[in-house]
Amino acid sequence: MGRRTTRRTFIKIAAATAALGSTRLSAAPLVNGEVPRRPLGRTGVEVSILALGGAHLGVVQDEGDAIRIVQEAVDGGITFMDNAWEYANGRAEEIMGRGLKGRREKVFLMTKVCTHGRNADVAMQQLEDSLRRLGTDHLDLWQVHEVIRHDDPDLHYAEGGVLEALDRARQQGKVRFVGFTGHKHPDIHREMLRRGYAFDTVQMPLNVFDGTFRSFEKHVLPEVNRRGMGAIGMKSLGGAGDPVRRGLVTPQEAIRYVLSLPIAALVSGIDSLQVLRQNLEIARTFRPMSPQEMQALRDRVAREARSGELELFKTTRTYDGALGRQVRGD
């Protein structure tokens, strides 16, 4: 990640990061087959265009295999790590922490706070849990997880809500940058932005089907870029790879489409070394699709996309976390 960054260092520079323009798309892989990097919005940091998703680590049966995925991802050029406090009841963070031992300074480490409407004190306790599990004294990015209900903006912006924890964590030097995530409806993301908190990043589902149905690409991504925030994509394969299994798109087409959007990075769920090596190769050889290629791909899958059947995270509770449903009583 360039020069060594400690907690003391980023406290001094946290208020002085330079604003950047729109995300630059890498036209070709870097020398020696490296994974290209892009600016993460206005943070002044560059991250690999491919991020390792933490959720899948928690479901890998052999913990040693999961740790090797983390290690090989870092050694292969992935500098952006994704996770969340609630993934696999904390096991995903613990695995990532073990995998990053001796490699922490090589990565931009992100995890998510999972209050689901509860207060800042809950968030701060989760932060301490995450730091312990991940084996670090600070996070590079802390994001509010699963902003998916229409009243979530009310709860998060309320006095004593999770946004106060984001501020507190930065003031304490335990977090460098902050953001939020969600996968349900563009309007919820737009409301979080409209209320004005200065998020550094926003994570959202982006894929070739999204361009046709409840589109984050059309209704959220442009606003995120206009505000100079770092845009992070997820769910490029629809959440569980169903479009690939049905032969509608190849992994290469799906990932290349999302990487051709003006985003900083794509979080990729990886549950085996085979998938890791496949996705690393796609990232290393990435060339942006032309607007015409992207439209042709959207047109090719438009019939299946219109119903939302390939983005069940938008239309059902299938992808809503169990903790959030328990906390919110649904």
Side-chain angles (χ1 to χ4, degrees), residues 72-221:
E72 188 165 319
V74 179
D75 296 345
I78 293 178
T79 69
F80 193 172
M81 300 284 121
D82 160 278
N83 222 305
W85 178 87
E86 69 183 57
Y87 288 161
N89 295 316
R91 182 169 177 264
E93 287 186 332
E94 291 172 351
I95 289 169
M96 183 166 281
R98 295 185 185 114
L100 290 178
K101 190 173 182 179
R103 293 171 169 83
R104 169 65 181 96
E105 296 300 330
K106 295 182 179 181
V107 303
F108 185 89
L109 180 58
M110 178 267 281
T111 197
K112 308 181 195 83
V113 57
C114 307
T115 55
H116 301 291
R118 292 172 291 176
N119 65 29
D121 290 339
V122 172
M124 295 304 292
Q125 181 55 59
Q126 290 185 0
L127 176 60
E128 295 304 320
D129 293 339
S130 293
L131 293 173
R132 183 185 71 255
R133 294 167 181 168
L134 291 164
T136 185
D137 67 351
H138 74 277
L139 300 174
D140 296 297
L141 175 60
W142 200 32
Q143 297 195 112
V144 181
H145 186 42
E146 268 198 359
V147 183
I148 59 174
R149 296 167 179 83
H150 284 280
D151 65 345
D152 277 345
D154 291 334
L155 296 172
H156 297 329
Y157 273 88
E159 183 177 355
V162 69
L163 298 188
E164 291 189 11
L166 302 189
D167 291 336
R168 198 186 306 173
R170 286 199 286 194
Q171 290 164 3
Q172 293 177 2
K174 295 178 180 180
V175 169
R176 296 177 67 191
F177 306 110
V178 298
F180 76 92
T181 82
H183 58 250
K184 190 65 67 177
H185 200 294
D187 288 351
I188 304 172
H189 271 55
R190 287 165 61 88
E191 181 62 16
M192 285 290 287
L193 293 170
R194 186 193 67 79
R195 296 192 184 202
Y197 187 87
F199 295 104
D200 298 300
T201 62
V202 179
Q203 187 167 327
M204 68 196 85
L206 293 167
N207 56 65
V208 64
F209 308 98
D210 170 80
T212 300
F213 180 77
R214 289 188 192 172
S215 181
F216 285 80
E217 176 184 338
K218 292 178 179 177
H219 302 301
V220 178
L221 184 57

Side-chain angles (χ1 to χ4, degrees), residues 219-230:
H219 302 301
V220 178
L221 184 57
E223 181 63 15
V224 168
N225 282 319
R226 187 188 71 80
R227 293 170 181 251
M229 298 170 178

Side-chain angles (χ1 to χ4, degrees), residues 28-48:
L30 302 183
V31 294
N32 300 322
E34 295 178 358
V35 177
R37 300 185 188 186
R38 293 179 185 165
L40 184 64
R42 59 171 177 260
T43 64
V45 175
E46 288 195 342
V47 294
S48 58

Side-chain angles (χ1 to χ4, degrees), residues 271-283:
D271 58 6
S272 70
L273 289 172
Q274 179 182 359
V275 173
L276 171 64
R277 292 163 185 166
Q278 166 196 270
N279 290 4
L280 276 171
E281 181 63 17
I282 294 171

